[in-house]
Each structure stands twice: as structure tokens, then as C-alpha cells.
Amino acid sequence: MLKKAGIVSPFFVVASNMEEIEQAKKRMGFPLVAKVQVLSGKRGKSGGVKVISDEAELKLFCEEFFGKDFGGEEVKYITLSQKIDIDLENYISITYDTISKMPFLLFSKDGGMDIEEVKDKNPDAISRIEIDPFVGPLEKDLKEAGIPVDFALRLWDAFSKYDCRLVEVNPLVFTKSGEFVAVDAKVILDDSGLSRHKDLDVMQKGSAGAVATERELKAREIDAEDYRGTAGSRFIEFEGDIAILASGGGASLLVMDAMFENGGLPANYTEYSGNPPREKVE
């Protein structure tokens, strides 16, 4: 997505098993950067991001994390990324202010760490630019705040074009060769806008896990193809044996509480509303 906006990123490969790791390693060479590919943050602080210098280190990293728990999530993917020659690390993001209901840009020259920590320790290091969504960031505002203009405008292009709720680049690296590179990024898309972006190969997030189950995907497909009411868009698969079909948040909580109190476990949670036809609910 960033590449389509003209933003430079390191070459990377996402692998789901050791065979794919071996193939990726042949394309990358050493040194490289290995990262557990999970939704939770603070991967670096928890040992989930590491510069790898040889094959033995890579094998050890994969054995430590593949299939294991990381931040409450099973590691199903590991990313191997080109190592970048870093001079300076910055932070930049665009998201929405939920009070003003307008987008804004944050930039800090203290990158590579949590922006919350920078805010507490050195709030003057953070610049905030309000954005008119019809115009985009103004060059004069960016220059006054010391924000790299070209990169910020490209980031806005990605944010607005792909209906994002958040695009965060951390670290935004200034390399020793003199260019800005998005070394790592976090993107949150607006689900309701995905129908406009068939060109994006997005892995659907599961309701209870990082990856949607086959049945969760099937339920969403049924709901997406039938406009009559809602049934299936909120389908969560669990491991119990009692099916749940609820029509409202309060009732469903009451039913779940009563079931747990009596030793029952849900097989699923399915919500329907808007008077869907019986065949769709079935």
C-alpha cells in the first residue's frame, strides 16, 4: 500500500513455515531483520524483532517463536526484512481525532519507541498538524513544524486513497544515503471501505484471533451477498458445543452469563438483526 503511494520500504518476505523461511533466506542474504508478524505492539521490547547475522541465529529465532504465544496471539507468520543502514529514527502517523472528527498528523524526531513515552518524557519533540480532509496537509504547515514534506504528502495519499483509520510509520528512518524509508508500519483500514479496494490483498482478521476461521469467512460472505438484514457479519467461532443465535447485545450477554454459570461453553456467537429471511439465518 505504501509502495503504491511512492513510499520506500525495505524488501521483505512473510513466511508461514521453515520451508518458506529457507526460500526467503536465499533471496535476502545476511544480515537481515526477523520479526514476529502479530497484531500486538511492543514486539521489539519483547524480543520479537531481531537483527540476524547467520543461519544458526535465524533457526533459533524461528524455533523460539513459530507456533508459540506472543502477546496472547499464536505466531503463524515471521517476516524477514532487508536490514537498513540507519542514520536517524523518526515517528510519523495519520489518524482521526474522535472529538473533532478530523484527521491529524503526528511527527516526532524521537522514533523507534512508543509515542506515548515520548509524549511523557519530551512532549516538545512531538509536532501535531490538523488536516482538512478536502485539502490535505498544507506544505507551509509541514515546513514550519519541521516535518519531511514529500514523505508526509505521500503518507496522506495512502491514508486517504485506501480509507485508512490509521497509518503509522515507526521508525521512519533517514538513511546514511540520504533518503526517508518506512522501516516498519502499522495500518488500520476502515472495514466498510474495503469493497472499494479489490486491489488490496487483505487477510481478514478473525473475530477472536488474528486470522479468520473458515466458518467466520463463510458467514461474512453470506451476509455480504445478501442485503436483507444482518446475519453472519458478526460471527465468532469458539470451541464449545452450544450454538448461540442472538438478537441484541443485552440479551446475548444475559444468555452467555447464564450458560457459563451452568457449565456450558459456546460453539459460536452469531448476531442477527434487521429482519433477515429464514434461509439467510439458517
Side-chain angles (χ1 to χ4, degrees):
M1 194 186 86
L2 297 181
K3 185 178 180 181
K4 289 178 181 178
I7 291 173
V8 178
S9 296
F11 174 73
F12 68 92
V13 177
V14 182
S16 60
N17 54 53
M18 287 306 298
E19 183 179 342
E20 292 176 359
I21 288 284
E22 286 296 316
Q23 293 300 318
K25 179 195 67 179
K26 292 175 184 176
R27 299 172 65 186
M28 308 279 301
F30 295 104
L32 54 82
V33 181
K35 310 177 186 181
V36 294
Q37 193 63 32
V38 293
L39 294 177
S40 57
K42 299 180 174 62
R43 291 177 300 168
K45 290 182 177 179
S46 304
V49 178
K50 187 176 181 181
V51 177
I52 303 292
S53 57
D54 57 42
E55 196 162 337
E57 279 189 15
L58 179 59
K59 184 179 179 183
L60 197 63
F61 184 91
C62 294
E63 288 175 350
E64 181 180 355
F65 290 111
F66 257 143
K68 305 297 194 309
D69 179 88
F70 189 96
E73 182 182 333
E74 182 187 347
V75 177
K76 295 186 177 182
Y77 303 97
I78 288 176
T79 298
L80 302 187
S81 178
Q82 170 194 3
K83 186 178 180 298
I84 300 298
D85 197 10
I86 296 172
D87 189 21
L88 297 170
E89 291 187 345
N90 305 294
Y91 170 98
I92 190 168
S93 68
I94 301 176
T95 187
Y96 281 96
D97 185 319
T98 54
I99 296 175
S100 68
K101 298 180 173 59
M102 298 282 277
F104 68 94
L105 181 149
L106 280 185
F107 177 79
S108 172
K109 291 185 177 179
D110 292 339
M113 63 172 73
D114 297 325
I115 196 66
E116 294 85 357
E117 291 183 12
V118 177
K119 183 179 178 182
D120 292 338
K121 295 176 182 177
N122 187 15
D124 293 337
I126 300 174
S127 299
R128 174 173 168 145
I129 302 292
E130 307 297 326
I131 301 174
D132 179 339
F134 295 104
V135 178
L138 299 177
E139 286 193 31
K140 66 179 183 64
D141 293 340
L142 296 170
K143 287 178 180 176
E144 286 175 8
I147 299 170
V149 174
D150 183 66
F151 190 93
L153 293 177
R154 291 176 189 272
L155 195 67
W156 169 253
D157 285 345
F159 179 87
S160 55
K161 179 180 179 180
Y162 292 105
D163 295 307
C164 297
R165 290 168 50 206
L166 168 74
V167 176
E168 177 184 78
V169 176
N170 188 30
L172 166 59
V173 160
F174 189 69
T175 68
K176 292 182 179 178
S177 60
E179 67 176 341
F180 282 103
V181 177
V183 165
D184 210 336
K186 176 181 180 179
V187 176
I188 299 177
L189 299 171
D190 184 343
D191 291 351
S192 60
L194 282 176
S195 60
R196 290 195 290 270
H197 305 294
K198 302 296 185 183
D199 57 324
L200 284 180
D201 183 18
V202 178
M203 178 182 290
Q204 292 286 339
K205 182 184 179 298
S207 299
V211 181
T213 68
E214 186 177 340
R215 289 169 63 83
E216 286 174 345
L217 292 173
K218 184 65 178 175
R220 292 178 195 176
E221 186 180 311
I222 291 168
D223 199 51
E225 293 176 357
D226 191 332
Y227 67 90
R228 300 170 297 171
T230 295
S233 61
R234 291 292 177 268
F235 176 88
I236 306 172
E237 187 165 30
F238 297 121
E239 296 181 353
D241 57 359
I242 301 174
I244 304 293
L245 180 60
S247 181
S252 62
L253 287 173
L254 187 67
V255 168
M256 286 286 192
D257 286 346
M259 182 175 56
F260 277 112
E261 285 174 9
N262 287 277
L265 292 174
N268 68 287
Y269 170 84
T270 315
E271 186 177 308
Y272 74 100
S273 62
N275 196 29
R278 66 180 67 188
E279 64 270 20
K280 181 177 178 180
V281 176
E282 183 183 9

